[in-house]
Amino acid sequence: MTLDQITDAPDILMEFLEYHSTIRGHSDRTVAAYYTDLKILFRYLKQRWHKVGRDVPFNEIDISDVNLDFIKQIKIEDLFRYQSFSPEMSGSLSAASRCRRTSSLKSFFNYLTVKRHLLDNNICLELDMPKRRASLPRYLDESECDKLLSACSGPYMYRDYAILMLFMSCGLRISELVGLNLSDVFEDHVRVLGKGNKERIVYFGEGCREALDDYLMVRDNGKIHPDAQKALFISQKNGRFGARGIEQMLERKLLEAGLDASRYSPHKLRHTAATLMLRNGVDTRALQEVLGHSNLSTTQIYTHIDNAALHEAAMANPIGRKKREEISDVKE
């Protein structure tokens, strides 16, 4: 969803979205998430404050009249309740959804107080970020990567193989790979447009270079749509290969390789690249640059999945090496 497609946002919300799109340079996806979270907030408050009839469906509550006076009435208690509110009334929100919603609230109220000076106090300073259960990222080991690559066959084998190589050797996000143009590919690296419209250079090895060369030899079939001429990867319908198409392709290849397609996604291939780099001597600072993480803490999750390093750490503890008879001898 782009800003042009948002037609029901009140002025104060639209100005916030435009700020994130133009000034902060956030992606359409991020802006759409802010819009969705705050639209639900305003509808929830109208319903909670009895400003609409009970017979009005939640998704039809008009928010076009929300203004600064409306927002000044919001109390921290309202936001506490909203954090876990679900308009479907079926079950509770996931921890990830609550975190995203809280992040939207904090960003909105920070904008109103710090950037626009429309509010004297930021009530979201008292709003804690919900805790999320820490989980280790799933990834393919090297032998499973080989199986997946070996499953590339058929009329689009060179394209699919090159895509999988870029995922598993460079650790690209799916949005970054979809956005690649021919002009972004160089001899030993690609130029990537990441989150926040930040460009970075990601290098690749000889195998990836060979995969790209093989694909580029068959890429142009003379039928590519004019608006996709610059795109690196072309779909079966001769347009830019989109995210959904790549997800479906990966699912097919996983099944053909005998791997569990329900456990892996393009983002899991990014985890795979990060894990293999870390296990083969890349430090976290370099990995941070490769993956395009703004914060090192995001990258450090991968330091917890190197089982070899964990085993080495355990073996280094002298207590863990002591046997029962050795302790008994000391007692005697």
Side-chain angles (χ1 to χ4, degrees):
M1 177 183 289
T2 63
L3 283 176
D4 294 338
Q5 295 173 307
I6 299 175
T7 59
D8 61 343
D11 290 343
I12 197 165
L13 174 55
M14 201 65 194
E15 290 163 1
F16 167 73
L17 300 177
E18 289 171 347
Y19 164 76
H20 275 279
S21 177
T22 58
I23 305 301
R24 297 294 304 277
H26 287 163
S27 67
D28 290 340
R29 185 175 180 178
T30 298
V31 172
Y34 283 143
Y35 162 67
T36 299
D37 291 338
L38 294 168
K39 176 175 64 175
I40 294 175
L41 168 68
F42 297 151
R43 286 176 172 170
Y44 164 74
L45 292 175
K46 279 199 159 188
Q47 192 177 71
R48 175 173 164 78
W49 295 343
H50 306 295
K51 292 184 177 293
V52 294
R54 293 184 178 181
D55 57 337
V56 178
F58 186 85
N59 289 335
E60 296 179 15
I61 295 176
D62 179 30
I63 62 169
S64 61
D65 59 343
V66 169
N67 54 23
L68 186 60
D69 289 336
F70 179 97
I71 291 170
K72 285 180 177 179
Q73 299 177 55
I74 300 174
K75 308 298 183 189
I76 188 65
E77 294 81 7
D78 297 318
L79 301 185
F80 285 150
R81 288 174 176 265
Y82 168 69
Q83 277 181 303
S84 58
F85 168 76
S86 173
E88 287 77 22
M89 303 300 290
S90 57
S92 59
L93 291 177
S94 67
S97 295
R98 293 198 302 274
C99 284
R100 194 196 76 175
R101 182 175 284 185
T102 303
S103 178
S104 297
L105 291 174
K106 284 180 172 291
S107 182
F108 182 60
F109 278 90
N110 183 70
Y111 165 79
L112 294 177
T113 53
V114 177
K115 299 299 180 182
R116 294 289 306 278
H117 305 288
L118 297 175
L119 297 177
D120 295 329
N121 298 305
N122 184 352
I123 61 173
C124 277
L125 293 177
E126 304 299 325
L127 196 64
D128 296 325
M129 187 67 71
K131 289 186 177 180
R132 297 178 63 174
R133 181 176 64 87
S135 59
L136 298 179
R138 293 173 180 168
Y139 59 92
L140 298 169
D141 61 31
E142 192 170 350
S143 64
E144 290 171 325
C145 292
D146 292 341
K147 289 181 181 179
L148 181 57
L149 290 169
S150 297
C152 293
S153 59
Y156 303 100
M157 62 179 293
Y158 294 114
R159 179 200 66 185
D160 298 345
Y161 188 92
I163 287 173
L164 295 178
M165 282 291 285
L166 278 174
F167 272 136
M168 294 190 291
S169 64
C170 297
L172 303 186
R173 299 179 177 93
I174 189 170
S175 59
E176 295 169 347
L177 189 137
V178 167
L180 285 176
N181 292 322
L182 291 170
S183 58
D184 294 321
V185 180
F186 298 88
E187 183 63 28
D188 61 351
H189 66 273
V190 287
R191 180 178 55 205
V192 175
L193 186 63
K195 285 187 174 181
N197 288 325
K198 296 178 181 178
E199 283 191 359
R200 72 181 189 279
I201 298 299
V202 182
Y203 289 88
F204 50 71
E206 294 178 0
C208 196
R209 176 71 263 178
E210 182 181 65
L212 287 167
D213 287 341
D214 289 342
Y215 164 64
L216 290 173
M217 289 181 65
V218 301
R219 171 187 172 276
D220 191 353
N221 59 7
K223 301 177 182 178
I224 299 176
H225 293 166
D227 57 355
Q229 290 290 337
K230 296 180 180 180
L232 175 58
F233 292 112
I234 304 300
S235 70
Q236 186 176 352
K237 296 181 179 179
N238 296 307
R240 183 183 289 272
F241 204 15
R244 183 58 187 146
I246 290 177
E247 290 169 348
Q248 292 172 334
M249 178 275 288
L250 174 59
E251 183 176 358
R252 290 194 302 269
K253 298 309 171 190
L254 286 166
L255 292 172
E256 292 169 12
L259 300 171
D260 188 348
S262 66
R263 288 176 56 85
Y264 302 106
S265 64
H267 204 67
K268 298 301 185 292
L269 300 188
R270 176 170 159 86
H271 293 326
T272 295
T275 304
L276 293 177
M277 288 180 196
L278 190 67
R279 284 187 167 180
N280 285 275
V282 176
D283 64 52
T284 51
R285 285 288 183 185
L287 187 58
Q288 178 187 6
E289 294 296 324
V290 171
L291 298 178
H293 287 158
S294 298
N295 299 310
L296 185 62
S297 59
T298 308
T299 313
Q300 286 175 332
I301 184 173
Y302 297 106
T303 63
H304 302 300
I305 58 182
D306 189 346
N307 293 329
L310 294 178
H311 183 267
E312 182 180 345
M315 294 303 99
N317 188 332
I319 300 300
R321 297 196 302 268
K322 291 183 182 295
K323 297 181 179 180
R324 185 187 298 272
E325 55 267 27
E326 294 174 340
I327 299 174
S328 299
D329 290 343
V330 172
K331 184 179 179 179
E332 293 174 358

